[in-house]
Amino acid sequence: MASGGVSVASLWTEVNRCGQNGDFTRALKALTRILHENRDDVTALHCKIVCLIQNGSFKEALNVMNTHSKYLAAISSDVVVFEKAYCEYRLNRVESSLKTIENAPVQTDKLKELYGQVLYRLERYDECKSVYTDLIRNSQDEYEEERKTNLAAVVAAMSQWEEAPLEDLGLPESTYELCYNSACALIGQGQLKEALNKLREAEELCRVSLADDSDVTEEDIESELAVIHSQMAYVMQLQGRTDEALQLYNQVIKLKPSDVGLLAVTANNIITINKDQNVFDSKKKVKLTNAEGVEYKLAKKQLQAIDFNKALLAMYTNQADQCRKLSSSLQSQNPGHPRPVLIQVAQLSREKQHTKAIELLQQFSDQHPESASGIKLTMAQLYLVQGHVTKACDVLRSIEEFKHKAGMVSALVTMYSHEEDIDSAIDVFKQAIGHYQSEQPGSAAHLALVREAANFKLKYGRKKEAISDLEQLWKQNTNDIHTLAQLISAYSLVDTDKAKSLSKHLPSADTMSFNVDVDELENSHGATYVRKKAAKVTGENLPKEQGQVDIKKKKKKKKGKLPKNYDPKATPDPERWLPMRERSYYRGKKKGKKKEQIGKGTQGATAGASAELDASKTASSPPTSPRPGSASGSSSAAASNVVPPRQQKPAASGATRKKAPQKKKKGGKGGW
């Protein structure tokens, strides 16, 4: 009997009934009472573990297994292997779960199913594909469609993250999950148009399958479609349709789906569209990428991309220290990846520290030669920013992977031409032509380089050096008259006999003539010059008779303007053309009466002191009436004639000195 007068058998009956009804919480209570009577009951322990897992209490279930491991192992070592591995998997202890599965004495089907999930989380896709292929081949039950969906997800992951070629496994596309995974695989192969059509099919299948369920609302359907819409937006973004992509992304964000991984990816893609614009919106969106559990929902490359974008956002928002901190952390996590170094270099460039940025790139290039190509291109760009064109050319020529490419040859020749280093430009052509001569002789790329080299040499007057290139081109096509003409022109400077012998291959003048109607050509819309036709003879313009002399019309000359005081009888001044100061009768400017009153000498001296001391002048001058507002008496009148001392300002140059405006005197006592 159990405590409380209830038998153990009745408790087991209750456990069975609760298990069938899905009431695992009530079943746990009954199991606890059973274990209270017999703590070594392995069946009760196993049932308790299952009930805890069904309730989502994975940590508690694992604790029960670890606490009673001796009792469980005493009966059978594989009793709770699956439950333990599953709890570890759900607690994101994926490595521990893998060890538990691999150490299991018997590999059951459900262990293999879990093994495939663990391998997928560890991104060991080849092994995972083998596991699911074996399960589909050797099992037939109601879970077959789910296994095919998981296998399709593995194929899509291999296509996207490992760039593996698509393998036709004969999987159907009867459900929207299978159709969605097929679209993801096409995205990995770069077949964007086909992927978008496949995603639209998945959307339609999803709507049809959920519409049959009466309990499913429109909001539930939109929530289920969120992952499909986000992937459609990603395809549109890759196609350059950023406005449509942004609209779809924002629709997904507004739905607030429960999948933190989906929210993080969508927010990250919005940040990539914003770039250095709308940074406030990006700062809001970046919070969604920091949600709890995101690291367990996304692949390593997805998490890596999110971290890179966080560092770039810090750079765009002028958070230099945060940018350096994030990029250094990324570099320590991914020591061989060039992107963290490029972010640091971009930040240094924004701070105008180009020399330090180049040193950092050179250091990384030496340590990781496998990533040197992209790094050296960035170095060349920084050299060009500083104006060091020759150094940039040296860096570009050191990239073995690109130095013979047509684009690289074009860039090098352009830069050397800018520096007027024609010899180096010709050397670039020579090396590229030699490479194609040994690897792809006679190919279109080879002949195009030869043609450009010949034209370049002719342009800069190197006709002798262009002969070998022109001969090679002419041998490839002896009907090319233009090349033959260039070759004859070049030989005319070196070997006239050779030029004459080659001229025999030129077509005759008769074969080169064309039946062209000159009048029609001149009257065409594209003619830049039209020959003027003779004007028709009219009655007014009759031909002149012989002996008739043309009478030229004389133009009327305008009379020049004379000065107002001009006297025609007076003799003009013979010195009128000379400047006034150089004329014989010039005596200088007359001094006016007002100028005599201006005081000369140091400031504070009385103006016209001699005139004031002359008694005869003061006696004859009439008395002046006082100014309005001034005090009467001789003392105030005398004081008004004295220039008061003022502070002297620094003398300005003649071009900038301005005359100070005269201030009106205010009424009051005194003159100032």
Side-chain angles (χ1 to χ4, degrees):
M1 292 291 291
S3 60
V6 182
S7 65
V8 174
S10 61
L11 289 173
W12 275 115
T13 303
E14 185 177 358
V15 169
N16 186 35
R17 185 180 67 254
C18 293
Q20 291 176 354
N21 296 333
D23 190 355
F24 299 104
T25 304
R26 194 168 181 178
L28 273 172
K29 292 179 181 179
L31 288 166
T32 303
R33 294 171 69 181
I34 294 171
L35 288 170
H36 183 72
E37 294 294 327
N38 183 10
R39 58 176 302 181
D40 299 334
D41 191 336
V42 177
T43 306
L45 284 171
H46 194 185
C47 290
K48 183 178 181 179
I49 291 166
V50 172
C51 288
L52 288 170
I53 291 172
Q54 291 289 347
N55 282 343
S57 303
F58 305 109
K59 196 170 185 179
E60 190 177 347
L62 200 59
N63 289 335
V64 171
M65 284 182 270
N66 292 331
T67 304
H68 300 88
S69 58
K70 292 182 180 179
Y71 301 106
L72 295 170
I75 300 172
S76 176
S77 58
D78 61 339
V79 172
V80 289
V81 171
F82 173 79
E83 285 79 3
K84 182 180 180 182
Y86 183 76
C87 287
E88 290 170 337
Y89 172 77
R90 292 300 301 270
L91 291 170
N92 298 310
R93 303 174 187 175
V94 187
E95 294 287 350
S96 300
S97 179
L98 180 65
K99 288 180 181 179
T100 303
I101 295 169
E102 289 177 342
N103 293 331
V106 180
Q107 293 293 326
T108 60
D109 285 346
K110 61 181 182 181
L111 266 179
K112 288 180 181 179
E113 299 270 6
L114 182 59
Y115 185 46
Q117 292 282 349
V118 170
L119 291 173
Y120 184 84
R121 282 280 297 275
L122 292 171
E123 300 183 19
R124 292 162 59 175
Y125 299 121
D126 281 328
E127 298 172 65
C128 183
K129 187 179 77 171
S130 301
V131 170
Y132 279 120
T133 304
D134 181 64
L135 281 169
I136 292 169
R137 188 184 299 115
N138 299 318
S139 60
Q140 289 182 348
D141 52 26
E142 66 272 18
Y143 299 110
E144 183 178 358
E145 194 173 273
E146 292 183 9
R147 295 188 188 101
K148 288 180 179 179
T149 302
N150 289 345
L151 180 58
V154 174
V155 172
M158 292 176 70
S159 175
Q160 285 191 312
W161 312 129
E162 295 183 353
E163 299 180 359
L166 276 180
E167 185 179 351
D168 186 10
L169 300 175
L171 296 173
E173 295 178 3
S174 53
T175 64
Y176 71 90
E177 293 97 339
L178 282 164
C179 202
Y180 172 81
N181 287 334
S182 177
C184 293
L186 289 171
I187 292 171
Q189 298 299 309
Q191 301 177 31
L192 302 181
K193 187 177 179 180
E194 295 82 356
L196 192 58
N197 292 333
K198 194 71 69 178
L199 287 168
R200 290 195 176 104
E201 290 179 26
E203 181 184 14
E204 186 63 27
L205 285 170
C206 181
R207 289 189 185 278
V208 171
S209 62
L210 296 178
D212 297 336
D213 193 344
S214 58
D215 296 332
V216 178
T217 63
E218 187 64 29
E219 291 181 359
D220 295 334
I221 295 174
E222 290 298 324
S223 180
E224 191 69 22
L225 287 170
V227 64
I228 299 175
H229 288 161
S230 184
Q231 199 73 320
M232 288 172 71
Y234 175 64
V235 174
M236 291 175 183
Q237 185 179 353
L238 292 178
Q239 290 177 331
R241 298 156 60 183
T242 52
D243 291 338
E244 298 171 72
L246 192 59
Q247 186 178 0
L248 264 179
Y249 283 140
N250 285 321
Q251 286 179 10
V252 173
I253 294 290
K254 286 178 182 178
L255 288 172
K256 297 180 179 178
S258 57
D259 188 350
V260 292
L262 173 61
L263 273 175
V265 170
T266 305
N268 174 74
N269 291 352
I270 291 174
I271 292 170
T272 60
I273 291 176
N274 288 339
K275 294 183 180 178
D276 57 344
Q277 304 296 320
N278 204 3
V279 290
F280 293 107
D281 178 63
S282 297
K283 290 181 78 172
K284 289 179 183 177
K285 296 294 187 293
V286 79
K287 293 177 182 178
L288 297 174
T289 64
N290 298 326
E292 186 179 357
V294 168
E295 64 273 19
Y296 306 119
K297 291 284 185 178
L298 303 178
K300 289 179 182 177
K301 287 194 174 182
Q302 288 175 308
L303 294 170
Q304 192 180 72
I306 289 172
D307 289 338
F308 286 147
N309 289 329
K310 286 179 183 177
L312 286 172
L313 183 61
M315 183 185 74
Y316 287 140
T317 52
N318 297 320
Q319 296 176 289
D321 294 336
Q322 179 72 2
C323 178
R324 275 189 282 269
K325 182 180 177 182
L326 289 170
S327 56
S328 299
S329 174
L330 283 167
Q331 190 174 6
S332 62
Q333 295 170 14
N334 311 278
H337 204 293
R339 201 167 292 173
V341 177
L342 292 174
I343 294 173
Q344 293 180 44
V345 167
Q347 180 61 46
L348 289 169
S349 299
R350 286 170 73 92
E351 297 169 1
K352 307 299 181 184
Q353 300 184 41
H354 299 297
T355 305
K356 191 174 180 181
I358 291 172
E359 291 175 359
L360 188 63
L361 289 169
Q362 185 64 55
Q363 182 182 356
F364 184 84
S365 176
D366 295 339
Q367 293 174 353
H368 304 279
E370 70 279 0
S371 303
S373 300
I375 293 296
K376 287 183 177 180
L377 287 172
T378 309
M379 287 175 63
Q381 183 182 1
L382 289 175
Y383 275 129
L384 288 175
V385 168
Q386 293 179 287
H388 304 320
V389 180
T390 305
K391 289 183 178 180
C393 291
D394 293 340
V395 171
L396 291 175
R397 294 184 74 173
S398 67
I399 306 175
E400 293 293 331
E401 185 180 351
F402 298 144
K403 73 176 185 178
H404 299 309
K405 300 283 185 182
M408 181 64 77
V409 172
S410 175
L412 286 168
V413 169
T414 302
M415 287 190 281
Y416 278 130
S417 301
H418 179 270
E419 293 295 293
E420 298 182 357
D421 190 354
I422 309 304
D423 292 330
S424 297
I426 292 174
D427 186 54
V428 170
F429 274 122
K430 183 179 178 181
Q431 290 184 10
I433 291 169
H435 170 77
Y436 280 97
Q437 184 70 39
S438 58
E439 299 292 332
Q440 304 174 24
S443 63
H446 177 214
L447 295 177
L449 275 172
V450 175
R451 166 67 65 189
E452 292 299 325
N455 291 338
F456 182 82
K457 292 170 184 176
L458 291 172
K459 178 182 176 181
Y460 287 94
R462 306 289 184 92
K463 291 188 176 182
K464 293 180 182 179
E465 299 175 40
I467 289 174
S468 60
D469 298 329
L470 292 170
E471 279 186 336
Q472 187 176 356
L473 289 170
W474 189 57
K475 286 177 183 177
Q476 291 288 334
N477 183 11
T478 54
N479 296 323
D480 189 353
I481 301 171
H482 178 69
T483 303
L484 179 59
Q486 288 179 318
L487 184 60
I488 293 169
S489 176
Y491 263 122
S492 64
L493 299 175
V494 181
D495 189 347
T496 54
D497 295 334
K498 182 71 172 178
K500 288 178 181 178
S501 64
L502 285 172
S503 64
K504 296 176 183 178
H505 297 281
L506 287 172
S508 62
D510 296 332
T511 58
M512 293 183 68
S513 63
F514 301 98
N515 296 323
V516 179
D517 188 346
V518 178
D519 293 331
E520 184 182 352
L521 184 63
E522 288 182 344
N523 294 326
S524 65
H525 294 291
T528 56
Y529 170 76
V530 179
R531 185 171 55 195
K532 291 183 180 180
K533 295 181 179 180
K536 293 181 180 180
V537 179
T538 60
E540 295 178 0
N541 299 324
L542 295 174
K544 297 173 184 177
E545 296 178 3
Q546 276 187 338
Q548 189 176 356
V549 182
D550 291 336
I551 301 172
K552 292 184 179 180
K553 292 182 179 180
K554 295 183 179 180
K555 291 183 179 180
K556 293 183 179 179
K557 292 184 179 180
K558 292 183 179 180
K559 294 182 179 180
K561 291 183 179 181
L562 299 172
K564 293 179 180 179
N565 57 350
Y566 173 69
D567 185 3
K569 297 179 181 179
T571 305
D573 185 4
E575 297 181 3
R576 62 184 181 277
W577 308 116
L578 297 174
M580 184 63 74
R581 291 178 178 275
E582 296 179 12
R583 298 180 190 179
S584 59
Y585 50 81
Y586 179 71
R587 294 291 180 267
K589 294 182 180 179
K590 295 182 180 179
K591 296 181 180 180
K593 294 181 179 179
K594 291 184 179 179
K595 291 185 179 180
E596 291 180 359
Q597 297 176 3
I598 298 174
K600 294 182 181 179
T602 58
Q603 290 184 350
T606 58
S610 59
E612 290 181 6
L613 295 174
D614 192 348
S616 61
K617 288 183 180 180
T618 55
S620 60
S621 59
T624 56
S625 60
R627 294 179 184 178
S630 63
S632 60
S634 61
S635 62
S636 63
S640 65
N641 291 329
V642 180
V643 180
R646 288 168 288 181
Q647 288 186 347
Q648 205 170 18
K649 294 183 180 178
S653 63
T656 60
R657 186 180 294 132
K658 295 182 180 179
K659 188 176 181 181
Q662 293 182 353
K663 294 183 180 180
K664 293 183 179 179
K665 296 181 180 179
K666 296 181 181 179
K669 294 183 179 180
W672 288 88

